């Protein structure tokens, strides 16, 4: 069997990019049980309510839902257990110092396999206010409308 290469996305947290202003991103490994890995390989996970908590120079991932493996036996994992993140000490210390500031949180952005190993992309983020969220949506809509208008003009030029 050939070794898996590249990045295979399992789950993404689109809501985090909407609710938070991303300051810095990190890639971390995950300590998982066998049934969790098998469940993730089936492409099943949810990062929606997930968050990272730093506790005694260790990073822990909370509230990420990895459903039980369908062919699992009594050795199956619990779906919402806390999972340890594998980060370098310097990264953890940097996250600890920055996350102390008010309004800052550490949230998961994406869960994926990279070269056969489960990885999670986490971000140091600052919570957005309601008006910031509306502003971001407005900018996104404006960008979409201008792209549409430009492509319509190009289409007319090609047919003329």
């Amino acid at each position: 069997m050939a070794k898996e290469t590249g990045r295979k996305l399992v789950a993404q947290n689109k809501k985090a990019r909407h609710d938070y202003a991303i300051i810095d991103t990190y890639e971390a490994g995950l300590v998982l049980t066998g049934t969790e890995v098998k469940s993730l390989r089936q492409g099943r996970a949810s990062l929606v309510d997930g968050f990272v908590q730093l506790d005694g120079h260790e990073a822990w991932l909370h509230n990420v839902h990895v459903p039980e493996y369908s062919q699992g036996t009594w050795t199956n994992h619990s779906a919402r257990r806390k999972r340890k993140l594998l980060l370098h000490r310097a990264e953890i210390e940097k996250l600890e110092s920055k996350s102390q500031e008010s309004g800052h949180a550490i949230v998961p952005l994406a869960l994926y396999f990279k070269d056969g190993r489960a990885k999670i992309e986490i971000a140091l983020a600052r919570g957005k206010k309601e008006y910031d969220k509306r502003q971001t949506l407005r900018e996104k809509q404006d960008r979409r409308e201008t792209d549409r208008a430009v492509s319509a003009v190009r289409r007319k030029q090609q047919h003329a």
Side-chain angles (χ1 to χ4, degrees):
M1 189 168 135
K3 189 163 178 358
E4 190 180 330
T5 56
R7 182 174 155 153
K8 181 186 170 235
L9 190 66
V10 176
Q12 228 178 350
N13 190 356
K14 291 180 182 172
K15 193 175 178 213
R17 292 190 188 276
H18 179 263
D19 292 344
Y20 297 95
I22 307 302
I23 298 167
D24 208 355
T25 60
Y26 300 88
E27 181 181 73
L30 283 155
V31 177
L32 300 172
T33 63
T35 53
E36 285 175 316
V37 175
K38 289 179 178 185
S39 187
L40 288 175
R41 287 207 187 278
Q42 290 178 338
R44 299 164 57 207
S46 172
L47 301 174
V48 175
D49 299 327
F51 64 95
V52 176
Q53 199 168 37
L54 299 170
D55 174 39
H57 300 298
E58 289 182 340
W60 294 90
L61 183 65
H62 293 268
N63 270 4
V64 169
H65 186 265
V66 178
E68 289 189 352
Y69 182 55
S70 53
Q71 278 92 40
T73 58
W74 57 273
T75 58
N76 235 333
H77 62 279
S78 63
R80 284 203 185 267
R81 75 178 188 92
K82 71 177 192 175
R83 295 163 180 91
K84 188 175 180 179
L85 296 181
L86 305 172
L87 286 160
H88 291 283
R89 180 175 287 130
E91 290 175 324
I92 291 175
E93 287 170 2
K94 193 173 178 184
L95 280 170
E96 267 182 325
S97 66
K98 288 190 176 181
S99 66
Q100 300 294 321
E101 299 171 34
S102 69
H104 285 72
I106 305 169
V107 292
L109 297 178
L111 183 61
Y112 54 91
F113 282 98
K114 182 178 174 186
D115 298 332
R117 297 185 192 276
K119 302 281 185 184
I120 189 155
E121 184 180 15
I122 59 173
L124 178 67
R126 186 179 60 250
K128 282 186 184 176
K129 302 277 188 276
E130 200 58 44
Y131 58 85
D132 287 335
K133 294 178 190 176
R134 282 195 294 267
Q135 181 67 30
T136 305
L137 273 173
R138 199 171 300 118
E139 287 170 2
K140 190 176 177 183
Q141 285 174 338
D142 291 345
R143 206 172 314 119
R144 194 177 293 143
E145 285 173 17
T146 55
D147 289 347
R148 236 183 243 139
V150 167
S151 63
V153 168
R154 284 191 181 138
R155 236 182 280 120
K156 278 185 180 177
Q157 289 174 347
Q158 286 176 349
H159 293 296

